[in-house]
Amino acid sequence: MKDFNGLAFGLFLVIVAITLIITYWAAKRTHTTSEFYAAGASIPGWQNGIAIAGDYMSAASFLGIAGMIALSGYDGFMYSVGWLVAYLTVLLLVAEPLRNTGKYTMADVLASRLNEKPVRSVAALSTIVISTFYMIAQMVGAGGLIKLLLGIPYNWAIIIVGTLMVLYVVFGGMLATTWVQITKAVLLMGGTIVLSILVLSKFNFNVGDMFDKAASMYGTKFLEPGLRFTNPLDQISLGLALVLGTAGMPHILMRFYTVPNAKEARKSTVWAMWIIGSFYVMTTFLGFGAAILVGKEAILAVDKGGNMAAPLLAKALGGDFMMAFIAAVAFATILAVVAGLTIAASSAFAHDFYTNVIRGGKATEQEQIKVARITAFVVGILAIIIGIAANGMNVAYMVALAFAVASSANLPVILLTVFWKRFTTTGAVVGMLVGLVSALLFTFIGQGVMGKNAIFPMQNPGIVSIPLGFLAAIIGSLIGKDQKAEEKFSEIYVRANTGYGVDK
Amino acid sequence: MQANLNSDVSASAKGARPQTEWEKIAESAQFQQLVRKKRAFLIPATIFFIVYYFALPILAGYAKPLMATKITDSINFGYLFALSQFVMAWALAHLYAKKADEFDHTASEMRKNMRGGL
């Protein structure tokens, strides 16, 4: 398996060619900042929904959750639930107000009421921290997976992924990113549906038979909670970070600016929820199929993390071609997610920090887009360097950390800006900083980093850092008045609730 | 309408703050009613999905015998409850989308009335 896989590599080249054609097509349509950051707000809701799903479902979900279900049964399935339910927070509380009051980034919403320079600076900082940790997790995961799947050396895998994401974003901006994500979502769903049907056909399409077989091979404990997660509080803490953090993830939020209005933003969320939910339901078939048809031992023999469960299942069911196809799909998955992260990180630096803080909003259109492209290029180069440097590091905690920062630093201030009249600039700055620092601190003194002797006895900091983020934002607001924020509240509140001023 | 709103807002920032158009809308009976209707849906819906979701890790952690109760074949309550979370999320999303179309309708009616008035 670790040898060079020619067939998979061939399919991988086909996918790369498709994405480069998309980029060429998108580059001819990307001239202004609105086109670069938000695809000119012209993406229909349903397409954006597919792109959100493509942006969100990482290789970690595809290969990781299938593997987790194959090895730990019920706990793996339970883990996947929070990733869908999180979209209810996005749909009910965040997507429409964000679309109605902002332009390209989450900081736009805060700046609509609060003192622009401080809130944009801190929001850009938290966006860059989130994107960096998420990106490192993706890059290191990608390097390892591509090595396993295609037989390409780790460093080369990182360089290829990094170069492609730079090409997509620098030349094709949000339009190319969107279509790479749509392509990936279609491939991923197609592959998952085919594998699920093949698995079910082995049990005469009787799900009960599949459960019976799993129970007879691995005992009923396999179908009950507790094989993997032993600390319920830690699970609740993770659940909080997922359910509140998704609605604070810059690369997801940015997608809502690509649609023309709040109604399309809503439609995109519902579309994304159908795709993401169906995908996670089907991972049960992949995980159980792998446990029964491949066997836990065979899965563990190839990769201790269980990441190869789905590709091995594909090989067992459809031979080398099917396995090569699934490997290529996993590769496309990685590309789509890192492209989304690259454009989110660039927008935080170029739009929030450079254009609006350093230049006071006075940079010309051409300067803005030039800086945005240079930033995307630099982000890509840094991601390659960090990815190579982090080879072999434990990055498992980094995805959870990204969600913890998003839920503790970003979500409280987004909600309070839109819904609370007394919210102030001080509250926003203090809230974001406390949320950010406490999420980082409790992760680094927690079990994910320090192991069994950790000072904080959990892996996930959310249960502590989220309330701290909210409290700091509220207390920071109560200690002083912010005349402008209070005067502007009516405007933001009306716009958030009606779409006046944005809607065409 | 947009031009009107903007000029009013900038005028109010300089002077002793006459009420802006935005504030007039915010205080209008129609807008207040729209916000009340939205809240009447959003607050219970949010509480409901949060409670329903966190019941899963709580039951999985503290009510293992319940979760292990077999329902049909080897499929147990825990699995069906986890699966029901997907159904709950989809159903609530559609319910909200339907409600939100009504909110949109009210908002555009309001806008028409205001255009007439301005």
Side-chain angles (χ1 to χ4, degrees):
Chain A
M1 182 95 47
K2 279 167 193 162
D3 305 328
F4 181 72
N5 184 337
L7 192 55
F9 190 74
L11 286 173
F12 148 81
L13 286 182
V14 172
I15 290 174
V16 169
I18 294 171
T19 58
L20 290 179
I21 292 167
I22 289 171
T23 307
Y24 177 76
W25 165 82
K28 289 197 288 186
R29 287 160 182 77
T30 303
H31 306 291
T32 65
T33 42
S34 161
E35 284 160 355
F36 183 84
Y37 291 126
S42 63
I43 308 280
W46 66 273
Q47 287 177 10
N48 190 42
I50 303 175
I52 291 172
D55 201 7
Y56 188 63
M57 297 183 294
S58 59
S61 333
F62 176 43
L63 303 176
I65 293 181
M68 209 189 272
I69 295 173
L71 298 179
S72 313
Y74 185 84
D75 280 1
F77 184 51
M78 184 176 90
Y79 177 78
S80 72
V81 171
W83 296 80
L84 172 70
V85 173
Y87 274 86
L88 285 172
T89 315
V90 177
L91 176 69
L92 297 180
L93 301 177
V94 174
E96 295 174 52
L98 184 96
R99 180 67 200 91
N100 282 338
T101 58
K103 210 166 137 198
Y104 306 141
T105 65
M106 150 211 139
D108 288 343
V109 178
L110 313 185
S112 67
R113 255 187 87 191
L114 307 170
N115 195 348
E116 185 158 34
K117 287 190 178 181
V119 295
R120 277 202 196 270
S121 306
V122 185
L125 176 71
S126 97
T127 296
I128 289 168
V129 169
I130 293 167
S131 307
T132 306
F133 281 111
Y134 210 78
M135 182 85 89
I136 296 174
Q138 294 295 324
M139 291 300 262
V140 173
L145 289 172
I146 292 172
K147 192 171 135 195
L148 273 175
L149 295 167
L150 304 178
I152 300 173
Y154 178 92
N155 287 357
W156 278 107
I158 301 276
I159 292 170
I160 292 169
V161 169
T163 308
L164 287 170
M165 76 192 192
V166 166
L167 289 177
Y168 303 154
V169 176
V170 170
F171 294 104
M174 187 50 109
L175 189 59
T177 304
T178 302
W179 280 96
V180 168
Q181 288 168 344
I182 291 175
T183 309
K184 161 267 180 83
V186 171
L187 284 171
L188 181 61
M189 288 307 281
T192 308
I193 290 170
V194 171
L195 275 185
S196 298
I197 292 172
L198 288 174
V199 167
L200 286 173
S201 71
K202 299 276 175 195
F203 302 96
N204 298 318
F205 295 94
N206 184 337
V207 180
D209 279 0
M210 186 178 80
F211 275 70
D212 286 341
K213 180 76 183 158
S216 73
M217 280 175 79
Y218 298 107
T220 49
K221 280 267 170 264
F222 187 70
L223 304 175
E224 295 163 13
L227 273 190
R228 186 187 183 97
F229 303 131
T230 46
N231 181 353
L233 272 184
D234 214 350
Q235 280 323 104
I236 294 167
S237 189
L238 172 69
L240 276 171
L242 285 179
V243 168
L244 301 176
T246 304
M249 277 302 216
H251 67 296
I252 301 295
L253 296 181
M254 208 180 167
R255 290 234 49 94
F256 290 107
Y257 295 121
T258 67
V259 294
N261 55 43
K263 190 178 167 68
E264 295 299 309
R266 183 158 76 230
K267 252 195 224 164
S268 13
T269 320
V270 176
W271 267 82
M273 287 180 74
W274 276 107
I275 298 169
I276 293 166
S278 320
F279 171 77
Y280 285 127
V281 169
M282 286 190 290
T283 51
T284 316
F285 306 133
L286 268 50
F288 274 52
I292 296 166
L293 302 168
V294 180
K296 280 194 199 181
E297 275 177 26
I299 296 167
L300 285 168
V302 182
D303 176 62
K304 276 187 298 230
N307 284 318
M308 291 303 280
L312 287 172
L313 174 70
K315 186 169 185 156
L317 291 168
D320 285 337
F321 182 80
M322 194 65 200
M323 176 163 171
F325 177 68
I326 293 300
V329 167
F331 178 77
T333 290
I334 293 164
L335 291 179
V337 177
V338 292
L341 290 170
T342 306
I343 199 163
S346 326
S347 68
F349 182 84
H351 173 67
D352 290 324
F353 197 69
Y354 177 80
T355 304
N356 286 300
V357 176
I358 296 182
R359 301 289 304 271
K362 292 191 184 73
T364 67
E365 184 75 23
Q366 266 145 347
E367 283 172 316
Q368 287 189 43
I369 196 151
K370 199 172 148 200
V371 172
R373 289 194 154 121
I374 294 171
T375 310
F377 179 75
V378 173
V379 166
I381 300 297
L382 288 176
I384 292 174
I385 294 171
I386 298 175
I388 289 175
N391 188 2
M393 263 175 56
N394 168 23
V395 294
Y397 66 89
M398 285 188 182
V399 168
L401 175 58
F403 276 90
V405 175
S407 55
S408 313
N410 292 356
L411 186 74
V413 297
I414 295 173
L415 291 181
L416 293 171
T417 301
V418 179
F419 295 109
W420 192 35
K421 188 169 184 176
R422 274 289 278 117
F423 194 45
T424 69
T425 305
T426 313
V429 170
V430 175
M432 281 192 279
L433 287 176
V434 169
L436 175 65
V437 171
S438 58
L440 289 170
L441 177 74
F442 284 99
T443 299
F444 286 112
I445 63 169
Q447 286 174 340
V449 176
M450 291 182 68
K452 283 210 168 62
N453 303 316
I455 301 166
F456 178 65
M458 289 189 212
Q459 295 188 4
N460 298 293
I463 204 166
V464 178
S465 63
I466 297 169
L468 282 178
F470 271 103
L471 265 181
I474 291 168
I475 293 170
S477 298
L478 292 176
I479 55 173
K481 281 225 162 215
D482 188 336
Q483 194 75 28
K484 184 192 145 213
E486 211 157 326
E487 284 174 19
K488 283 278 245 177
F489 178 72
S490 295
E491 177 185 341
I492 297 312
Y493 196 53
V494 171
R495 281 174 49 189
N497 278 293
T498 59
Y500 295 170
V502 193
D503 238 352
K504 280 161 210 149
Chain B
M1 186 186 81
Q2 211 175 325
N4 260 333
L5 289 169
N6 289 340
S7 64
D8 272 349
V9 169
S10 57
S12 76
K14 287 175 214 152
R17 276 204 21 90
Q19 212 183 22
T20 65
E21 285 300 322
W22 292 112
E23 283 165 341
K24 282 180 198 159
I25 302 173
E27 280 164 28
S28 71
Q30 273 181 309
F31 180 76
Q32 298 271 336
Q33 203 193 351
L34 171 69
V35 168
R36 262 200 305 277
K37 270 204 261 171
K38 279 185 126 173
R39 274 196 203 143
F41 180 83
L42 288 177
I43 295 173
T46 305
I47 294 172
F48 168 75
F49 92 75
I50 297 271
V51 169
Y52 197 87
Y53 171 65
F54 284 100
L56 179 67
I58 291 170
L59 291 177
Y62 302 105
K64 288 203 170 72
L66 169 69
M67 298 301 255
T69 309
K70 277 189 190 166
I71 307 286
T72 165
D73 294 322
S74 290
I75 301 175
N76 56 31
F77 175 79
Y79 252 100
L80 293 177
F81 186 58
L83 194 62
S84 79
Q85 300 269 347
F86 288 86
V87 179
M88 178 279 290
W90 288 325
L92 188 54
H94 275 271
L95 191 61
Y96 171 70
K98 213 174 140 208
K99 280 272 171 193
D101 283 341
E102 289 171 29
F103 302 148
D104 280 356
H105 183 71
T106 314
S108 64
E109 286 292 303
M110 257 171 72
R111 196 179 204 177
K112 265 186 228 153
N113 293 342
M114 279 186 300
R115 277 209 176 112
L118 284 169

